[in-house]
Amino acid sequence: AQTVTQSQPEMSVQEAETVTLSCTYDTSESNYYLFWYKQPPSRQMILVIRQEAYKQQNATENRFSVNFQKAAKSFSLKISDSQLGDTAMYFCAFIPANAGGTSYGKLTFGQGTILTVHP
Amino acid sequence: KAGVTQTPRYLIKTRGQQVTLSCSPISGHRSVSWYQQTPGQGLQFLFEYFSETQRNKGNFPGRFSGRQFSNSRSEMNVSTLELGDSALYLCASSLARAGDGYTFGSGTRLTVV
């Protein structure tokens, strides 16, 4: 069974600054995908960034980037130039790459980190 | 293109009643998954459907059921509602490969009184 841990229940940052959210996971799978989702007060979960475990290069999407350390099973999210609209709950999630059998559709989520961006 | 649509947005039901929630996936997405989100338990997987077949199920009692229609729309049903079923129910659709990522709807907020 996989587990995902987000050790920071809450974080805050000033507008325009940089913040890093932490995520660690545990799995015996050799290949898998990791995601960061954002859930603003509107409730809709929005995919921020994804990482394939077999790719060494860290994923980047505009102001969002990850630091993926496969050996350490760590997957942190860095938000640069923080904006007020980044205020939301952020979830780290995992799914095996060959999502067959008991893994179909089953994302395993961390408990989430509430990020507040202050003006 | 249209996103994942969940209806209704809010629902208030009485203990013992049953409820049906609906999810329309993104056009072309054949996989639909359901999740329950509560403050205490976080996001928990309910089940996943693909081409009208349930491929995976989470650890929820049999009161929770679902189905998927030929147009990929999905419904989930909860019978004999309990106070603990109060939650945000999220639906997600995908092209069905793990790495495609999942697009979520805005959820249905169910309150059981």
Side-chain angles (χ1 to χ4, degrees):
Chain A
Q2 294 86 22
T3 59
V4 177
T5 303
Q6 293 177 248
S7 58
Q8 305 153 313
E10 293 187 47
M11 295 278 286
S12 64
V13 65
Q14 293 297 126
E15 200 174 5
E17 294 189 344
T18 296
V19 64
T20 299
L21 308 184
S22 300
C23 172
T24 58
Y25 58 94
D26 189 25
T27 183
S28 57
E29 300 282 343
S30 58
N31 198 17
Y32 44 86
Y33 294 90
L34 293 160
F35 306 91
W36 278 98
Y37 279 92
K38 164 186 175 181
Q39 187 178 40
S42 65
R43 306 179 334 200
Q44 184 165 14
M45 297 276 278
I46 301 164
L47 178 62
V48 174
I49 198 164
R50 86 187 74 187
Q51 175 78 43
E52 297 181 69
Y54 70 88
K55 286 190 175 178
Q56 301 281 0
Q57 188 172 5
N58 289 324
T60 299
E61 289 285 344
N62 301 313
R63 298 182 295 108
F64 299 88
S65 61
V66 299
N67 183 4
F68 174 50
Q69 302 290 326
K70 190 172 183 179
K73 293 185 177 150
S74 169
F75 182 61
S76 61
L77 174 70
K78 185 172 84 170
I79 306 174
S80 304
D81 186 26
S82 297
Q83 301 176 0
L84 296 178
D86 295 333
T87 293
M89 175 86 91
Y90 286 80
F91 291 95
C92 177
F94 168 103
I95 193 166
N98 299 314
T102 59
S103 295
Y104 283 125
K106 183 179 179 180
L107 285 163
T108 300
F109 287 91
Q111 289 296 323
T113 297
I114 299 172
L115 175 67
T116 304
V117 180
H118 297 285
Chain B
K1 64 183 178 184
V4 178
T5 303
Q6 289 189 247
T7 56
R9 289 267 292 172
Y10 300 91
L11 209 47
I12 301 175
K13 289 287 187 179
T14 304
R15 266 183 305 176
Q17 287 186 314
Q18 75 166 18
V19 67
T20 299
L21 313 182
S22 179
C23 172
S24 293
I26 289 174
S27 178
H29 285 193
R30 295 165 66 190
S31 169
V32 174
S33 304
W34 289 88
Y35 292 81
Q36 181 195 65
Q37 186 177 18
T38 59
Q41 298 297 317
L43 284 146
Q44 293 186 288
F45 172 76
L46 281 155
F47 28 64
E48 188 259 4
Y49 287 87
F50 180 83
S51 292
E52 302 179 65
T53 300
Q54 184 183 89
R55 295 196 298 187
N56 196 4
K57 189 177 190 305
N59 296 324
F60 279 82
R63 300 185 297 107
F64 291 80
S65 63
R67 59 178 175 169
Q68 186 180 35
F69 301 95
S70 58
N71 61 357
S72 293
R73 190 177 71 86
S74 178
E75 289 181 346
M76 69 163 279
N77 183 277
V78 188
S79 62
T80 318
L81 284 166
E82 301 177 359
L83 295 178
D85 297 332
S86 294
L88 179 66
Y89 290 88
L90 291 166
C91 163
S93 76
S94 167
L95 288 168
R97 294 175 301 175
D100 291 331
Y102 295 81
T103 303
F104 284 80
S106 295
T108 294
R109 171 75 68 189
L110 171 65
T111 302
V112 182
V113 297

